[in-house]
Amino acid sequence: MRIEENRTFDEIAVGDTAQIVRICTEDDFYVFASASGNHNPMHLARHDGDGDGAEEAVAPALWVGALISAVIGNILPGAGTLYRAQSLTFKDRAHAGDELVASVTVTEKRPPDGIVMETTVTRKSDGAVILIGEAQVQAPARKMVFDDLEIPGLLVERHRHFDALIARAEPLPPLPTAVVCPEEPMSLGGALLGARHTIITPILVGDPARIRAAAAEIGAPLDGVEIVEAADHATAAHVAVDLVAEGRAAALMKGHLHTDDLLRAALRKEDGLRAGRRFTHVFVMDVPGMAHPLLVTDAAINIAPDLRTKMDICQNAIDLARSIGIEEPKVGVLSAVETVNPDIPSSLDAALLSKMAERGQITGGVVDGPLAMDNAVDIGAARTKGIKSKVAGRAEVLVVPDIDAGNMLAKQLAYISHAEGAGVVMGAKVPIILNSRSDDDMARLASCAVAALHNARLTGQSPAKRAAE
């Protein structure tokens, strides 16, 4: 950022003016809430702060006032200026999306260094006055200019993609879901949260005493929630699969049991959930700062997938991406390099998968590879390497070489980039919600939403259709 050359007391004349133009964003208000400690929901997106049934996202008054300080500190008088006083009178309200013009006009000079300015903020679209006031400042004593002033970047950890998925899933009919062994607070709480948002109707399968103890620990009533008794974890998994076979459940959700126990029951030969493809796991990641959800697969089930398995991994991920609203998913098949190297098997698999998609063996999306991680997700890196494709730099799905790479990538996104991850197993007759024991409520709720949206696409019950009904 460049700060304009400042102006000392002697260089300033009565009548001098300066202004900046700034668009209000929801993220600005979250940054202000974090910095100031003012968490008034009137200013935060997705909240009804005054109980009128509408979400407000009103610009905090002092955030609007701070735009005046930006004009004073950056332009007039500029670098080196210090405040002595500022009055503010608010005439109207600004909201997220408004384009605001902050202006200052010098009205008086008070030797040896005092400057008095009239200050205003108006909305550009209609000229409405948001605030008026007066600033009294100490002008800088020395001439200065700063080039390329470095300000640390801020990233707002707001999971807007998951918010959108949940909002799309809530109008759907609740998805009957067999929840296997929700015998501790986190897994039970996630299932009940999905029920409170009307995304799922949980059927709790496991030890009733442990389930009720977990409910008591989190203070959650189980009134109206069906509990199906099962003696142990393996039995509970088979009972849950039976509920699907009987048509009473349309999804499975992992509770407090080993994934192997759940999948062993789902893969049984008689009345199991096989549907012709390999079971594959997909993480739907909401990464702060990314413009779209990022799908990572397979990071949980297939250890060292061969080419045939990777075909199913690609197809399952494309199907899920379409279910959550990505019309033509762009799939980047990852390797250590972006060129085919016979000594790197993952680069050969990636090239073959790309060609298979061109020939219609993988459908519904665009597949390209091999791509290294940087040129899969960053358009600048792709251009630097001279890669020209619809996927490079724009990948929405990342297919990893093996479970090691996938697990590391997903956890790096979660613990370094502060992403939330929804987990779903694909390739079965019904979606299987698969969360880690350490996942929080948002991850579990988003997983329910992803499963519900996928089921809705498979059954032809879109959110738009449901709302119209």
Side-chain angles (χ1 to χ4, degrees):
M1 175 183 177
R2 176 184 170 86
I3 291 185
E4 301 289 340
E5 183 175 342
N6 72 348
R7 296 167 70 178
T8 62
F9 180 83
D10 292 338
E11 294 174 314
I12 297 170
V14 172
D16 286 349
T17 65
Q19 69 176 35
I20 63 168
V21 179
R22 174 74 176 266
I23 296 177
C24 304
T25 70
E26 294 175 358
D27 282 356
D28 288 329
F29 305 163
Y30 280 103
V31 170
F32 180 84
S34 179
S36 68
N38 176 7
H39 298 168
N40 182 352
M42 285 292 291
H43 308 310
L44 304 179
R46 313 289 190 270
H47 293 279
D48 174 13
D50 57 8
D52 65 354
E55 298 170 356
E56 278 77 29
V58 177
L62 290 185
W63 180 87
V64 177
L67 298 181
I68 297 296
S69 72
V71 185
I72 290 171
N74 291 350
I75 306 174
L76 181 65
T81 304
L82 293 174
Y83 257 114
R84 286 181 172 148
Q86 173 76 61
S87 66
L88 298 170
T89 300
F90 297 93
K91 300 290 188 179
D92 202 346
R93 303 295 178 193
H95 295 78
D98 286 348
E99 189 172 12
L100 302 181
V101 181
S103 306
V104 302
T105 301
V106 177
T107 57
E108 185 182 351
K109 295 179 67 177
R110 297 175 180 174
D113 58 7
I115 301 294
V116 180
M117 291 178 283
E118 176 186 88
T119 61
T120 62
V121 176
T122 60
R123 186 164 43 239
K124 190 173 183 180
S125 62
D126 59 5
V129 177
I130 306 299
L131 71 81
I132 59 174
E134 180 183 87
Q136 298 178 29
V137 302
Q138 174 185 318
R142 298 178 181 82
K143 195 73 175 172
M144 291 183 291
V145 62
F146 292 89
D147 289 319
D148 299 322
L149 188 65
E150 291 290 338
I151 303 295
L154 295 177
L155 186 64
V156 178
E157 292 179 23
R158 183 163 61 91
H159 297 98
R160 57 192 178 94
H161 301 307
F162 278 2
D163 289 341
L165 291 177
I166 292 164
R168 286 185 60 214
E170 286 175 335
L172 293 167
L175 181 66
T177 303
V179 186
V180 189
C181 301
E183 298 168 351
E184 55 80 44
M186 290 293 287
S187 56
L188 178 62
L192 297 180
L193 182 62
R196 287 199 297 274
H197 282 261
T198 70
I199 295 174
I200 67 170
T201 298
I203 304 170
L204 310 181
V205 183
D207 183 328
R210 291 180 179 176
I211 293 171
R212 291 192 178 97
E217 188 172 339
I218 60 176
L222 294 177
D223 301 339
V225 180
E226 182 178 1
I227 300 177
V228 179
E229 184 172 0
D232 53 51
H233 289 182
T235 301
H238 282 283
V239 170
V241 174
D242 289 340
L243 291 173
V244 174
E246 295 164 8
R248 293 183 57 199
L252 294 183
M253 184 174 186
K254 180 192 171 192
H256 192 60
L257 79 164
H258 288 296
T259 300
D260 288 350
D261 288 335
L262 180 61
L263 296 184
R264 192 175 296 114
L267 288 166
R268 70 191 189 191
K269 291 183 178 180
E270 186 174 344
D271 290 329
L273 302 183
R274 297 175 188 266
R277 289 192 204 143
R278 288 292 294 265
F279 281 18
T280 67
H281 183 271
V282 184
F283 274 119
V284 180
M285 309 293 292
D286 188 339
V287 186
M290 288 203 73
H292 54 77
L294 188 65
L295 281 65
V296 176
T297 187
D298 182 337
I301 294 179
N302 292 283
I303 297 173
D306 59 15
L307 182 62
R308 185 178 297 278
T309 301
K310 287 182 179 180
M311 285 179 60
D312 287 348
I313 288 172
C314 285
Q315 190 64 67
N316 286 341
I318 289 171
D319 290 349
L320 188 62
R322 294 179 63 195
S323 293
I324 66 172
I326 302 174
E327 292 185 6
E328 188 183 44
K330 293 180 280 293
V331 181
V333 187
L334 297 183
S335 183
V337 293
E338 62 279 345
T339 55
V340 178
N341 185 332
D343 295 325
I344 303 178
S346 62
S347 73
L348 296 174
D349 286 349
L352 290 169
L353 291 167
S354 178
K355 181 57 69 174
M356 287 173 165
E358 288 181 14
R359 299 290 172 86
Q361 293 173 269
I362 301 171
T363 61
V366 183
V367 181
D368 193 18
L371 292 172
M373 181 66 187
D374 57 347
N375 46 59
V377 298
D378 185 87
I379 191 67
R383 287 173 178 163
T384 298
K385 295 289 182 70
I387 305 170
K388 297 179 181 179
S389 83
K390 292 178 68 174
V391 176
R394 305 177 181 87
E396 295 149 331
V397 178
L398 299 178
V399 176
V400 297
D402 53 38
I403 199 170
D404 285 337
N407 186 272
M408 292 175 194
L409 174 56
K411 288 181 178 176
Q412 284 166 356
L413 291 172
Y415 289 95
I416 296 177
S417 299
H418 306 287
E420 289 277 6
V424 178
V425 174
M426 297 287 291
K429 293 177 181 177
V430 298
I432 301 174
I433 300 164
L434 195 67
N435 286 108
S436 168
R437 282 171 288 184
S438 62
D439 283 345
D440 62 14
D441 284 347
M442 173 56 83
R444 295 175 189 273
L445 182 59
S447 298
C448 292
V450 170
L453 290 168
H454 182 61
N455 178 76
R457 187 173 73 86
L458 293 181
T459 59
Q461 179 65 69
S462 71
K465 286 182 180 179
R466 180 66 179 175
E469 294 172 1

